[in-house]
Every structure is written in structure tokens, then in C-alpha cells.
Amino acid sequence: MGRVYTERPARLDGAVVWALTSPPVAEEPVPVLPDGCMDLLWCDGRLLVAGPDTFAYLPEGGPSRYAGIRFAPGDAPALLGVPASALRDRRVELGALWGEARARRLAERVSAAPDPAAALEELAVRRAADAPAPDPLIRAVAGRLAAGRPVAETADAVGLGARRLHRRSLDAFGYGPKTLARILRLQRALSLVRAGVPYADAALRAGCADQAHLARETRALAGTTLSAYASAWAKRETPQPSGSSTTA
């Protein structure tokens, strides 16, 4: 039996609860692609945070059971109490952010639950009740960039200058709006590729200049070629996480 991955909408707006079970026999690791999100993870008894990635992350094995809650772009920093830029391209033990004793108690609670994913979701919901609400301006930025709107137009639409938007984006997303726009554009394109859309059409529909542009972005951000990505996806028996989900 291969990897089994499931996901569902979370009780937090825009978030996703997911679970992944890997087989006891090692398989070729599945790269985790950048998606502009951050995750709170439970990994065989440990609680960690996966920060926003700027390139493909390749797990190195280890835990066989994972659960996670993937937050909408820009929502996690207020809940976790740390700017996203501090966690960029990192997997960090929750104890480093919330204290070792507290993180250990929470990990034990999640591990003892019949459904660790549901327990992790409950943890996040309770934390969110005491945290600042998601910033509507940041959500507007993420929404416009996800829809393919230009960065300059987005800055004007939300009433921020380019420098202020960049500073706000570093705290919220972990990188500037241009990098977030590239990552979200690649996600749009690869979603079309997974649906069987020809590469050239997927590139144009996602907002790339042409197929060559999409090929360069796939190499730079996903660490692979379009054909290799499409081939690997076709071989999967079940969907796998495309975002900042798993950890070593």
C-alpha cells in the first residue's frame, strides 16, 4: 500500500486539515512545492511549524504518520505569534515558538486523540480565538495575487505603496509580493497541467508569457521539469500535498 493522503476544509476560514500515512517500506520522497502557505504539523508525536517555502522541499524520510493544518496565505503569523519571514524555508519545533513544556503537553494531547488531525484542528481553533483576526488587507492582497492580478495594481487597489506592501508581505507571507505572485502563478499552472491541459495553454492561462517561461519557473521553484512533474503526478494513486506540508 502506498501513501494515503486525505484533506478537508478546516473550521478556520481558508484553512485545510490534512493527514498523510506513509508505507513502512521507504518510497521515493514526494517533493513539497511552494504554495504561499504555512502549516502546523503533527509528526508521529512531534509538533512543528512548516514555514513558507521559496523552493521545493524534499522530505528525507522519518515519521510515517502526519497530520497538519495548512493556513491560508498570510493567516498563520498572527496565530503562531511570529512573522512569516522568520520561518521562511524552515521547519521549526513548536516548542521554539511557544515554549518546550507547553508544546510537549499539546503534542501529547494530539498524539492521544483517536484522530490527530481533528485534535490538531481543535488546537488551532482555540488558539485562533485568542489571536488577532486575519488582516482583511492581507487577505485582499493574497486574493488578488492568486487571481493573477499584477503586483502594482494590487498595491493601488489596497491603498499601499510598493515599499509598504513589500514590508507587510514579508511579515504576512514570508517574502515580497512578487515572489508570492510567482509561486501562486506556478500553482495555477501546475493545477492545469494536472488536469491535462497542454503545457502551452496552461502557461498562458496561468499568466506566464509562454511555455518556456513556465518551464523556467517550474525548474526554479519546483526543482523539476514540466514533463517530469506531469509524469510523477500521473503515477500517484492518490493526491499528495502540494504545499508546505511534510517535514523531515
Side-chain angles (χ1 to χ4, degrees):
M1 182 177 179
R3 298 178 182 88
V4 178
Y5 175 77
T6 61
E7 68 174 41
R8 61 174 174 80
R11 288 152 56 196
L12 294 174
D13 185 30
V16 171
V17 176
W18 58 268
L20 172 66
T21 302
S22 297
V25 178
E27 290 184 349
E28 183 178 352
V30 177
V32 180
L33 305 189
D35 62 359
C37 300
M38 295 172 61
D39 290 55
L40 178 61
L41 310 171
W42 174 84
C43 308
D44 275 349
R46 300 162 58 208
L47 288 177
L48 305 98
V49 175
D53 290 327
T54 57
F55 50 85
Y57 173 78
L58 190 64
E60 298 176 353
S64 60
R65 295 179 64 206
Y66 298 90
I69 179 164
R70 184 165 63 247
F71 301 100
D75 282 3
L79 186 145
L80 296 172
V82 62
S85 57
L87 301 178
R88 183 173 55 238
D89 295 321
R90 299 176 63 196
R91 271 65 179 162
V92 178
E93 296 278 353
L94 185 64
L97 306 180
W98 290 5
E100 296 294 343
R102 182 183 183 193
R104 184 168 54 253
R105 290 194 301 271
L106 293 173
E108 290 171 353
R109 185 185 307 167
V110 173
S111 299
D115 182 353
L120 193 67
E121 179 185 23
E122 180 63 26
L123 186 164
V125 168
R126 292 190 177 190
R127 174 75 178 188
D130 296 325
D135 187 339
L137 184 146
I138 290 299
R139 285 199 161 183
V141 170
R144 293 185 67 85
L145 295 180
R149 307 311 305 168
V151 171
E153 178 186 302
T154 296
D156 289 341
V158 300
L160 291 178
R163 290 184 179 180
R164 288 186 63 202
L165 176 60
H166 187 81
R167 288 195 298 269
R168 295 284 294 273
S169 295
L170 287 177
D171 286 345
F173 309 120
Y175 25 66
K178 290 184 179 180
T179 298
L180 178 62
R182 287 179 63 203
I183 288 170
L184 296 178
R185 182 178 61 199
L186 179 66
Q187 285 287 342
R188 291 194 302 273
L190 294 183
S191 176
L192 292 168
V193 168
R194 294 195 297 270
V197 176
Y199 299 158
D201 290 345
L204 294 176
R205 288 169 59 179
C208 294
D210 51 27
Q211 182 176 330
H213 182 195
L214 174 57
R216 291 192 299 272
E217 291 291 85
T218 303
R219 281 186 177 276
L221 298 173
T224 187
T225 65
L226 279 169
S227 58
Y229 176 84
S231 176
W233 182 265
K235 293 178 182 177
R236 299 179 190 178
E237 295 180 355
T238 57
Q240 302 296 324
S242 61
S244 54
S245 300
T246 57
T247 182

